[in-house]
Amino acid sequence: MIVLGLSFTLAIWGCNVAEPPVDSLQHGIIGQHENPAGNTNPGPSPGTLLKLPRPLLSQPNSVRVTKLVSPSGTTILSGTISYVTERFGTAMFDVKFTVPGGAVSDTTPVTMTIDSSHAVIEFQPEGLQFLKPALLDVTLINLDPFSPREIIKFVYVTSSGGFVSQDFEKITISGNKGNIMLKKGIINHFSAYGFGRLTSEENWH
């Protein structure tokens, strides 16, 4: 499955910008790092990305945040998508991305885009590698419920649409409620991360 692809021509420092939804099914992913240096996780595996539930009214916009990240201090990018769904009340996709001091060697503009159709966060600039890991906190509320037999993973999404399972401090999944909470997902490089669904752990090599 081919996911995500955006080209940003406008940088807006430190603010949220409404963007058209990212069509995760028709565009190629930004990022060419199938298994970046230093990544000890298994190679890419097949699967599907979790979709956000259908809106009751119009499709919400994706959210884009851009900030300058400095070597000397911690930078936080955050954003939220919230809307009323057709069946399960209000859905929320809340993201906080923390880049610690010393993660970059030079001041760098970083853009985070929260997709409004799939549980995916895309980062730019493409190919950026951190000297220290950045941390991703994600809260997903009122997705369409899923079976506890399904395997849900926090993943890096490769340019070919495969998944590479990523490390994190804690993840809480309530399938019957459609809720996922990720604490301190490890981000060593860009560009796209999300939550993948499988029906068998065996598919994860």
Side-chain angles (χ1 to χ4, degrees):
M1 180 173 114
I2 301 175
V3 294
L4 286 178
L6 287 176
S7 176
F8 299 116
T9 57
L10 179 64
I12 300 179
W13 311 119
C15 60
N16 290 0
V17 181
E19 290 291 312
V22 179
D23 189 341
S24 300
L25 300 178
Q26 296 182 11
H27 296 276
I29 239 182
I30 296 175
Q32 303 299 322
H33 302 278
E34 299 296 324
N35 194 15
N39 188 346
T40 59
N41 293 312
S45 300
T48 59
L49 289 168
L50 289 179
K51 292 183 178 180
L52 301 189
R54 292 172 60 89
L56 178 64
L57 301 174
S58 59
Q59 180 74 21
N61 289 324
S62 298
V63 170
R64 186 184 69 183
V65 182
T66 300
K67 282 190 176 182
L68 286 174
V69 174
S70 168
S72 61
T74 298
T75 305
I76 296 176
L77 288 77
S78 60
T80 303
I81 294 174
S82 181
Y83 63 95
V84 177
T85 70
E86 284 185 341
R87 299 174 57 192
F88 301 108
T90 300
M92 184 176 70
F93 188 178
D94 181 75
V95 180
K96 183 176 79 169
F97 181 58
T98 304
V99 184
V104 294
S105 57
D106 299 300
T107 299
T108 304
V110 168
T111 296
M112 176 180 77
T113 301
I114 305 170
D115 190 10
S116 64
S117 59
H118 290 74
V120 174
I121 306 105
E122 184 178 17
F123 297 99
Q124 288 185 302
E126 175 186 344
L128 177 64
Q129 301 268 349
F130 288 119
L131 303 176
K132 294 181 179 179
L135 300 174
L136 187 66
D137 295 323
V138 178
T139 300
L140 286 156
I141 301 293
N142 278 339
L143 300 179
D144 293 338
F146 47 88
S147 168
R149 293 189 299 273
E150 293 183 292
I151 307 300
I152 306 298
K153 295 282 188 176
F154 168 55
V155 297
Y156 167 70
V157 188
T158 72
S159 58
S160 60
F163 299 158
V164 180
S165 182
Q166 299 297 295
D167 294 328
F168 52 85
E169 181 179 281
K170 182 179 180 181
I171 189 168
T172 303
I173 299 173
S174 301
N176 61 331
K177 297 181 179 179
N179 296 345
I180 299 174
M181 293 185 65
L182 173 75
K183 294 295 184 183
K184 297 184 179 180
I186 305 299
I187 306 296
N188 292 301
H189 58 89
F190 287 165
S191 62
Y193 292 81
F195 295 89
R197 166 192 269 139
L198 291 178
T199 55
S200 172
E201 189 77 44
E202 295 175 357
N203 290 335
W204 286 92
H205 303 313

